[in-house]
Amino acid sequence: MRTYPTSFYVHRIKPKLAGMLSAPASSRLLWLPVHGSVIALAAVAIARGWPRWWAMPLLSPVIGLAFAGLMFLGHETMHGAVVRGRWAWAKSLVGFLCFAPLAVSPRLWNAWHNRTHHANANRLGVDPDMYPSLERYQSSGVIRFSVDNFALGGRRWRGLLSLAMGFSVQSVSMLIRARTRLQLSRRAHRLAILETALLVGSWIVVAAIVGAIPFVFVYVVPTVIANVVIMSFILTNHSLSPATEDNDPLLGALSVTSPRWVEWLTLSFGYHVEHHLFPAASARHGRTIRTAILEAWPERYASMPHRRALAALFRTGRVYRDATTLVDPRSRGAWQAPLFSHQQRT
């Protein structure tokens, strides 16, 4: 299939969306005190032993969902979809608060996600969120170990670890390699490390206050849950799609659909093709943007139910033999990307 740059699509459909895209989604900021209050109240309840011992683990998923919700809010905010204009100065502050649960530096996130990933989505060896080529897999023992043991694919159940801890592990990896992988300057890298240290230090203080066992339920288990929620979207966004040199969002990205209540809780993060076309637009406009795309390119738009996309990730390979062939080197299985049919794409 022929590829096009993002500008090709934007130029054609932006006039239909200009009025909708011009205003920031400021009301999204209401999620910040909501999630913050949920985390604080649940943490205090666990620390003081208000619920019975057997009920404490039941609060951890609530905190974990709030952690993930803040990450989705931070993602939109750092793209300029929530605060703009005279309030643009607050973008990093809101991002800092939203990324605090998973201890991600807003400065690192901007270089990692906004600048590098969005400019190079699904470019082999360049996109930091992409799985490796077969050549790279064969030449690096570290990559082989990581893919063979932790990647979600090849029907290996231990690959679920990439859901449980993938975001946190990749965040640390990006911080360590930021100067070479993300081209952060020495000063910016030091500031990103400082921001991360401040966030980690705040959680160490929380651990000292609440105690070791409560901290497991206040932070450790919620962090795993937040990783699962976040990675279930991140992995389906691009890992079933072909590699592309033209950063073509309709070829190299996939939108996933969920029940309305899931879309509400995740701030419609699943509208990922739409997001790559208009990253500064709030995902609350995802359905409208999707309609405009389908009117113009119904045969190119890629979408699947979220659960079906996760199932496809589980059973297929994660290594690119070429731009359109995914393989699992251990089982020698091969699959043609995109790993969805035209019927599923509409």
Side-chain angles (χ1 to χ4, degrees):
M1 183 178 287
R2 183 177 178 181
T3 62
Y4 300 97
T6 302
S7 58
F8 169 83
Y9 303 106
V10 172
H11 178 75
R12 181 167 172 181
I13 67 174
K14 187 175 181 179
K16 301 179 182 179
L17 306 167
M20 178 191 69
L21 301 178
S22 61
S26 303
S27 62
R28 296 283 219 194
L29 288 174
L30 295 174
W31 281 105
L32 185 58
V34 170
H35 288 311
S37 298
V38 167
I39 293 167
L41 289 173
V44 169
I46 292 172
R48 296 195 173 183
W50 290 345
R52 294 182 180 274
W53 65 268
W54 53 264
M56 283 189 182
L58 301 179
L59 291 177
S60 290
V62 176
I63 298 174
L65 290 175
F67 281 5
L70 285 175
M71 280 299 305
F72 292 132
L73 175 59
H75 169 256
E76 275 204 12
T77 301
M78 292 299 292
H79 273 294
V82 178
V83 289
R84 240 181 253 168
R86 63 177 181 173
W87 296 104
W89 61 269
K91 183 171 69 173
S92 294
L93 174 60
V94 175
F96 190 85
L97 295 173
C98 289
F99 296 157
L102 297 183
V104 177
S105 157
R107 194 178 308 270
L108 174 70
W109 179 260
N110 187 59
W112 165 17
H113 179 79
N114 292 20
R115 191 172 71 223
T116 307
H117 168 66
H118 269 267
N120 304 283
N122 264 40
R123 289 186 63 192
L124 281 170
V126 184
D127 183 357
D129 294 342
M130 195 175 185
Y131 282 104
S133 65
L134 182 59
E135 180 181 6
R136 184 71 176 131
Y137 169 89
Q138 292 173 335
S139 65
S140 171
V142 173
I143 291 178
R144 284 199 304 275
F145 177 80
S146 176
V147 171
D148 291 344
N149 290 282
F150 302 111
L152 184 60
R155 298 183 182 273
R156 289 186 290 274
W157 287 102
R158 62 180 177 274
L160 295 177
L161 288 171
S162 64
L163 291 177
M165 55 192 292
F167 186 78
S168 294
V169 170
Q170 190 178 13
S171 298
V172 173
S173 175
M174 287 296 106
L175 182 63
I176 293 171
R177 300 187 295 158
R179 293 195 61 198
T180 56
R181 194 75 171 85
L182 308 177
Q183 286 74 55
L184 269 188
S185 67
R186 184 186 299 273
R187 179 178 181 275
H189 191 204
R190 287 175 176 172
L191 289 172
I193 292 173
L194 177 60
E195 289 175 349
T196 305
L198 288 173
L199 295 172
V200 172
S202 67
W203 286 111
I204 292 175
V205 171
V206 171
I209 293 173
V210 304
I213 300 301
F215 187 70
V216 170
F217 299 112
V218 166
Y219 187 74
V220 178
V221 175
T223 296
V224 171
I225 292 167
N227 267 264
V228 169
V229 174
I230 295 165
M231 290 303 292
S232 74
F233 284 95
I234 290 177
L235 289 175
T236 55
N237 290 160
H238 299 281
S239 300
L240 297 171
S241 303
T244 171
E245 285 297 318
D246 291 325
N247 196 16
D248 186 327
L250 268 68
L251 182 64
L254 172 71
S255 289
V256 293
T257 57
S258 306
R260 285 294 187 105
W261 66 270
V262 175
E263 289 186 1
W264 180 68
L265 284 175
T266 60
L267 301 188
S268 298
F269 189 82
Y271 290 98
H272 206 69
V273 174
E274 296 80 356
H275 171 63
H276 271 262
L277 282 178
F278 300 100
S282 171
R284 65 166 47 164
H285 304 305
R287 286 179 176 269
T288 305
I289 298 172
R290 172 180 177 151
T291 299
I293 297 171
L294 286 171
E295 288 175 354
W297 306 281
E299 77 289 352
R300 296 181 69 91
Y301 180 71
S303 178
M304 287 179 75
H306 193 192
R307 288 185 297 177
R308 190 177 300 171
L310 287 170
L313 281 172
F314 175 72
R315 68 173 182 267
T316 59
R318 298 279 71 80
V319 176
Y320 285 83
R321 187 170 66 197
D322 53 51
T324 59
T325 308
L326 284 162
V327 297
D328 179 44
R330 298 194 69 177
S331 68
R332 299 184 181 180
W335 299 263
Q336 287 300 118
L339 295 173
F340 32 80
S341 68
H342 290 290
Q343 288 74 24
Q344 292 169 325
R345 293 167 66 116
T346 58

